[in-house]
Amino acid sequence: MLTITLREGADLGGFRQAVRRLAAARTAPDEVLWSVGAPSLFGDEAPPSEDGAPVFLPQAVGRLIETVVCHSDPERYALLHRLVWRVLNGERALLDQHADPLVHRLERLDKAVRRDIHKMHAFLRFRALPGPDGGERYVAWFEPDHHIVEAVAPFFVERFESMVWTILTPKGSLHWDRQRLMTGPPAERPDSLADDRFAEGWQRYYESTFNPARVNPTAMRAEMPRKYWANMPETAAIPAMVRSAPTRVQAMLEAEAAVPRRRMPEKAVAAMARQAPESLAELNRLIRRSEPLVPGATRAVLGEGPEGAAIAIVGEQPGDQEDRDGRPFVGPAGQLLTAALEEAGIDRGGLYLTNAVKHFKFIQRGKRRIHQSPTAGEVKHYRWWLMTELGFVRPRLVVALGATAALALSGRPVAVLRERGPMAFDGWSGFVTVHPSYLLRLPGDEERRRAQAAFVADLRRAAALA
Amino acid sequence: MDDALIEKLGILADAAKYDASCASSGAKPRRGGKEGLGSTTGAGICHAYTPDGRCVSLLKILLTNHCLFDCVYCINRRSSNVRRARFTVEEVVTLTLGFYKRNCIEGLFLSSGIIRSPDHTMEQMMLVARTLRRNHGFAGYIHLKTIPEASPWLIEQAGLWADRLSINLELPSDHSLKAFAPEKNGGTIKAVMGQVNERIVEAKEERRRFSPAGQSTQLIVGADDATDRSVLETSGTLYQRYGLRRVYYSAFSPIPEASSVLPVKPPPLQRENRLYQADWLLRYYGFTVEEIASGGEGGMLDLGIDPKLAWALKNRERFPVDVNRADREMLLRVPGLGARAVDKILSARRHTRLRMEDLGRLSSGLRRARPFLIAADYHPVGGLTDRLDLRQRLVTPSSQLSLF
């Protein structure tokens, strides 16, 4: 009989080393006695090169071992060794056999450890203490059932990375200084951890969120057994809460239906209906102070032009230049639009110009800000603003420049080149044509001239419709 | 945190507690890192349980319980004499961060009474979420109650900051809504649910973040005369048409300052439990509303037994089911077998013919399942499912906490 002694606690490294040796020597589970406590059999001095060769196990087995070694059951290593032995000797899919007594037992250990980890994530409470350099540090005391202190560390580091904290338990301790995690020896329960006002506030919250009409302490204890209560300040109130519940409910049931003591706030109720912005200026204030709904975006570029304009022109979104100037259609595409309007004999100053998306969506490449087309979903985020804006301008005709504007106005994808011309938008007479930036992107001079002429012709046609 | 703030917290937590939703799950992973605070892991954590058995996961509070609406079932309606209070945006931020740092909560669930206007209220709530996210790098969970009467742009904005949005339908039928909540309108509520659903779906397709944990709603049970069948039909529609993540059921609970329009006696809490069980059958067990309702009488679920057992007792000809042969759909219909047990059965029976002893290790509900099963070494004697007293034999008070 071979005796293997592993470290106290969850000795995953020791167990792995032992398993490698045992597997190499083909030692059966019945020939091994596992114990915990004294120095490890292979000792710290054993160089890694003398490890047995790695044992190849299905991932699920590896994961199960990692959890089950944390269990406080003294038989855990023997059970795991039995599992490894059987998996290596022809039962690769053993873990699928949930009805096998060994698998069943290990699954229960696994579940117990997971539950313990989960409850530690949930029920541990930090207290704030004055820290070095005037900040705060946070300290918690917790008593887990199993050796899970290291297993819970990643959760707390991830969640409270920006805080300085210490977790003390009878099975080991953790300290995080915002840079490094240090593990320490088992700790004693601290005499007292001073409560601050937040602990008091939390208790008030806990009492207030309880509904006495639904009192059900059994359900509470099933999820939050008494053993955890000692370290949770809010639980001090439980006995009184349970005791007073029936009388509180009785009082509610016996109370006569209340007659309102205050008079009905008629004016305020009537005023609620007038919440929508009442002018274009008010709407623009909303847009300006709202968060961009596309990435990039430094400011909102608002529509421009007289309310009551006969034609509203809707583009895609502001570009680099528009974003800098805060005005629509002032970049290269805007200049092209201005030229085309002139050629068509339309006064730009008499038009209302705006964009479907009010912010410049871009990604930064070095010093350049590269335009990104808004997605259909992003266009819809802006749609209410656009429609409300048009409602104030009340143009006779809305001209959509390009696919994005056409999508925003019609609510469906539009193939611009195929569908250019008059189109009914949601409540507006509309007209679809290309976006001037499309002209800028055309390769050949000839092609561009032809497209530009068609664009000018479209503008003329639109003007005639308005 | 001073006495006045603690006092307000008491009032505004008390005012928020009738909302049953508590989930902090389903969010995309997010972490605050060295400069921010917190994380969401997707799974959600219950940080405490109160003596009503409900979990405390989020700091569930109202921004204010002043309200211009007059919904009779609500403790905060304008005609109620309840004590009123109002938080500032900064106060809610302080409370959320303070409790979060002490590991009391997963995040914030913010709702509010309507002050000034739905838009104003919604904007204040959004401001809380925005301040938490942007000024404090808060990466915990944020659930924002959406006020359906608010302008659509506010909803577009709210989804940027929230992990979950919810709009409470409260009452399953338009006519109850009209009678009990004069300022509300079923059509408006559903339009907003539609808007939110559309944005969530689009954002998911485009890999953007917009209310990544979806939307949920709550129905109050027992305040009006709606049957369980009509409640479940409403839920079925909400799941299918609006892609809701969860429908919560809240048995109408006696409140201080109750209105005279309301029923004097609250419905049995068991009714709420049965509805939750039925809801699970609807979502995970392949049952239709019609099938679930057929287990009860007159559109109401059987309060004495769970809806799956009720259905099985009325469809005895479908049983017993052979655990070594039946398909997943049929195994899911066996009373006492949960979805997880069924999956274990399916994987285990590839390796061995399952006997009762094996099943005992695969399922904890075997006592109830037994009359409906055939195993390698077991066949219910004399057609156990034919026994008239089967219902009685299966119903003992101890077996009634299942599924939820």
Side-chain angles (χ1 to χ4, degrees):
Chain A
M1 187 64 77
L2 176 65
T3 301
I4 296 177
T5 309
L6 297 182
R7 253 192 320 111
E8 281 286 354
D11 190 0
L12 181 63
F15 180 67
R16 182 184 291 125
Q17 232 173 27
V19 162
R20 288 178 179 182
R21 300 255 166 150
L22 293 169
R26 301 200 51 75
T27 311
D30 291 342
E31 300 164 44
V32 184
L33 205 67
W34 296 85
S35 81
V36 161
S40 124
L41 172 70
F42 302 111
D44 291 334
E45 73 280 4
S49 58
E50 283 187 27
D51 278 0
V55 173
F56 291 98
L57 295 171
Q59 264 188 358
V61 176
R63 274 198 300 270
L64 186 78
I65 292 172
E66 273 175 39
T67 346
V68 173
V69 292
C70 299
H71 204 283
S72 51
D73 188 332
E75 284 187 60
R76 64 190 181 279
Y77 296 117
L79 293 167
L80 286 171
H81 182 215
R82 209 166 280 279
L83 172 79
V84 172
W85 174 260
R86 286 177 60 187
V87 167
L88 292 178
N89 288 281
E91 293 182 83
R92 295 295 287 182
L94 181 57
L95 280 191
D96 290 345
Q97 299 186 43
H98 306 283
D100 181 280
L102 174 66
V103 175
H104 180 59
R105 171 114 187 248
L106 285 168
E107 278 178 354
R108 274 169 46 202
L109 298 184
D110 176 70
K111 197 168 163 190
V113 171
R114 284 176 195 283
R115 181 176 158 97
D116 203 30
I117 291 174
H118 186 75
K119 293 300 184 194
M120 185 162 174
H121 290 165
F123 297 153
L124 177 141
R125 295 285 183 269
F126 281 119
R127 319 284 171 106
L129 303 173
D133 59 51
E136 282 179 322
R137 66 191 190 89
Y138 293 81
V139 181
W141 164 255
F142 195 83
E143 292 159 286
D145 289 339
H146 304 290
H147 306 286
I148 55 168
V149 176
E150 283 172 55
V152 298
F155 170 85
F156 288 105
V157 169
E158 178 166 311
R159 179 156 291 198
F160 303 113
E161 196 180 342
S162 57
M163 291 160 32
V164 175
W165 50 260
T166 306
I167 294 175
L168 304 169
T169 87
K171 294 191 158 66
S173 52
L174 298 170
H175 178 71
W176 173 255
D177 66 358
R178 307 176 71 178
Q179 304 293 335
R180 277 174 316 131
L181 179 73
M182 285 153 275
T183 48
E188 301 265 313
R189 168 193 279 277
D191 290 339
S192 73
L193 285 171
D195 273 338
D196 59 8
R197 297 304 305 268
F198 272 97
E200 203 180 316
W202 182 245
Q203 174 144 357
R204 172 65 70 88
Y205 174 75
Y206 180 77
E207 289 168 22
S208 307
T209 201
F210 161 65
N211 182 351
R214 306 178 59 110
V215 66
N216 184 355
T218 318
M220 168 185 66
R221 279 195 303 268
E223 292 296 342
M224 192 176 73
R226 266 177 200 282
K227 64 181 177 191
Y228 296 112
W229 294 11
N231 301 317
M232 300 170 72
E234 61 267 40
T235 56
I238 291 175
M241 288 160 78
V242 174
R243 221 177 312 116
S244 64
T247 40
R248 287 173 69 189
V249 177
Q250 202 53 38
M252 284 188 250
L253 291 176
E254 282 167 6
E256 306 225 338
V259 178
R261 271 197 295 273
R262 290 176 314 164
R263 59 180 182 76
M264 147 101 170
E266 277 161 36
K267 271 192 188 160
V269 170
M272 271 196 301
R274 296 196 311 271
Q275 61 173 354
E278 286 177 347
S279 67
L280 185 55
E282 216 180 296
L283 173 73
N284 282 340
R285 268 198 297 278
L286 288 184
I287 300 176
R288 209 179 285 127
R289 71 164 188 256
S290 291
E291 187 71 8
L293 294 141
V294 290
T298 56
R299 56 148 67 161
V301 177
L302 304 168
E304 201 177 87
E307 283 178 54
I311 299 177
I313 291 192
V314 181
E316 181 196 58
Q317 65 170 358
D320 182 68
Q321 194 58 47
E322 284 83 0
D323 183 69
R324 291 177 203 280
D325 291 6
R327 295 185 53 207
F329 292 104
V330 293
Q335 288 161 17
L336 213 157
L337 174 68
T338 308
L341 286 169
E342 246 168 55
E343 201 181 330
I346 302 167
D347 170 25
R348 173 172 162 148
L351 302 175
Y352 187 82
L353 299 169
T354 191
N355 283 298
V357 168
K358 304 290 186 242
H359 296 96
F360 176 35
K361 180 183 178 186
F362 66 87
I363 48 170
Q364 192 87 39
R365 282 254 171 74
K367 281 192 177 159
R368 293 183 54 210
R369 306 195 295 175
I370 313 288
H371 165 278
Q372 301 283 298
S373 293
T375 63
E378 285 165 342
V379 171
K380 287 200 197 158
H381 283 312
Y382 285 89
R383 195 159 187 253
W384 187 84
W385 280 339
L386 175 66
M387 291 320 215
T388 309
E389 183 183 14
L390 291 176
F392 288 118
V393 178
R394 300 208 325 280
R396 287 203 293 275
L397 184 79
V398 181
V399 177
L401 302 183
T404 299
L407 167 70
L409 290 162
S410 69
R412 65 171 179 91
V414 173
V416 173
L417 290 177
R418 224 176 318 126
E419 301 183 53
R420 71 196 301 172
M423 180 181 288
F425 295 141
D426 226 352
W428 300 100
S429 304
F431 193 96
V432 174
T433 182
V434 298
H435 193 278
S437 65
Y438 156 79
L439 305 174
L440 290 172
R441 285 196 306 268
L442 285 174
D445 283 352
E446 179 51 34
E447 200 176 342
R448 191 181 312 163
R449 237 190 323 275
R450 234 183 299 131
Q452 196 155 339
F455 182 51
V456 172
D458 273 354
L459 293 176
R460 275 206 193 94
R461 239 178 110 199
L465 285 172
Chain B
M1 195 169 193
D2 56 14
D3 289 342
L5 188 55
I6 292 178
E7 201 54 39
K8 273 202 243 183
L9 176 62
I11 294 172
L12 292 169
D14 192 287
K17 72 185 173 198
Y18 299 97
D19 211 306
S21 161
C22 66
S24 54
S25 56
K28 277 199 216 166
R30 184 198 312 253
R31 59 190 289 183
K34 285 214 189 318
E35 303 304 321
L37 173 70
S39 62
T40 46
T41 53
I45 296 173
C46 300
H47 283 274
Y49 291 80
T50 49
D52 51 23
R54 298 210 274 191
C55 92
V56 179
S57 182
L58 304 171
L59 175 65
K60 189 191 296 180
I61 46 176
L62 301 189
L63 190 56
T64 176
N65 64 341
H66 289 282
C67 191
L68 288 170
F69 282 18
D70 208 25
C71 313
V72 289
Y73 49 79
C74 181
I75 186 176
N76 304 311
R77 68 190 183 284
R78 66 171 182 251
S79 57
S80 151
N81 297 321
V82 74
R83 281 176 71 201
R84 309 277 177 174
R86 181 177 177 176
F87 281 131
T88 63
V89 168
E90 269 318 310
E91 283 169 340
V92 179
V93 169
T94 305
L95 289 173
T96 307
L97 297 174
F99 292 144
Y100 196 90
K101 286 180 176 174
R102 286 156 182 80
N103 201 38
C104 298
I105 51 171
E106 285 295 286
L108 173 67
F109 177 175
L110 187 62
S111 182
S112 183
I114 311 288
I115 38 165
R116 270 171 52 188
S117 71
D119 272 12
H120 172 78
T121 311
M122 189 72 222
E123 199 174 356
Q124 292 295 303
M125 289 164 65
M126 201 187 63
L127 215 56
V128 170
R130 183 164 93 172
T131 310
L132 277 169
R133 290 273 194 249
R134 209 163 52 184
N135 302 4
H136 300 278
F138 181 67
Y141 197 91
I142 299 182
H143 178 155
L144 283 185
K145 181 84 14 192
T146 314
I147 298 169
E149 295 76 19
S151 299
W153 70 273
L154 283 155
I155 287 148
E156 308 289 351
Q157 293 269 309
L160 291 181
W161 312 111
D163 290 292
R164 171 168 284 185
L165 296 174
S166 66
I167 307 158
N168 283 1
L169 187 55
E170 308 288 19
L171 297 165
S173 75
D174 283 353
H175 85 99
S176 303
L177 209 54
K178 200 168 282 171
F180 287 165
E183 283 84 11
K184 293 196 180 204
N185 176 309
T188 311
I189 295 175
K190 286 182 179 153
V192 178
M193 284 180 172
Q195 181 193 359
V196 171
N197 183 40
E198 220 179 279
R199 295 302 169 276
I200 290 172
V201 170
E202 286 159 359
K204 201 157 278 172
E205 278 170 8
E206 295 169 2
R207 297 170 179 279
R208 290 183 293 114
R209 199 187 273 273
F210 186 90
S211 188
Q215 65 170 327
S216 61
T217 192
Q218 167 171 294
L219 293 171
I220 298 176
V221 179
D224 65 351
D225 55 5
T227 59
D228 290 339
R229 178 200 294 267
S230 70
V231 170
L232 290 170
E233 275 165 359
T234 304
S235 304
T237 312
L238 293 173
Y239 285 127
Q240 275 164 24
R241 194 171 309 159
Y242 302 101
L244 262 79
R245 202 59 83 83
R246 274 298 288 277
V247 175
Y248 289 90
Y249 305 93
S250 181
F252 166 69
S253 166
I255 47 172
E257 299 289 334
S259 152
S260 55
V261 187
L262 290 173
V264 183
K265 264 188 75 101
L269 286 180
Q270 191 62 279
R271 187 175 170 201
E272 178 188 295
N273 187 33
R274 294 291 173 237
L275 280 168
Y276 274 117
Q277 292 172 326
D279 187 273
W280 283 78
L281 295 184
L282 213 53
R283 286 187 296 153
Y284 301 119
Y285 288 77
F287 281 79
T288 63
V289 173
E290 199 41 53
E291 285 173 325
I292 296 167
S294 73
E297 295 296 334
M300 296 303 277
L301 300 174
D302 192 329
L303 288 179
I305 52 176
D306 71 80
K308 197 173 169 190
L309 179 57
W311 177 83
L313 289 175
K314 290 200 175 175
N315 292 275
R316 299 183 188 202
E317 73 286 353
R318 311 269 302 257
F319 298 96
V321 165
D322 186 340
V323 290
N324 286 300
R325 282 164 207 254
D327 57 13
R328 186 166 192 275
E329 286 64 38
M330 199 54 218
L331 286 173
L332 283 174
R333 290 182 175 243
V334 176
L337 293 187
R340 208 171 292 178
V342 167
D343 289 336
K344 281 187 178 180
I345 288 173
L346 290 173
S347 118
R349 77 185 188 186
R350 279 200 290 272
H351 304 276
T352 174
R353 295 219 343 113
L354 296 169
R355 294 161 299 132
M356 285 310 263
E357 190 193 355
D358 299 321
L359 289 174
R361 295 189 204 100
L362 296 176
S363 160
S364 50
L366 193 59
R367 200 186 67 82
R368 276 191 312 145
R370 183 182 280 270
F372 301 95
L373 289 180
I374 296 172
D377 61 344
Y378 173 78
H379 200 290
V381 275
L384 200 51
T385 49
D386 292 338
R387 293 182 63 135
L388 288 174
D389 62 349
L390 182 56
R391 180 178 199 276
Q392 222 156 10
R393 289 165 58 96
L394 286 167
V395 180
T396 56
S398 66
S399 70
Q400 288 309 305
L401 279 175
S402 54
L403 274 174
F404 190 72

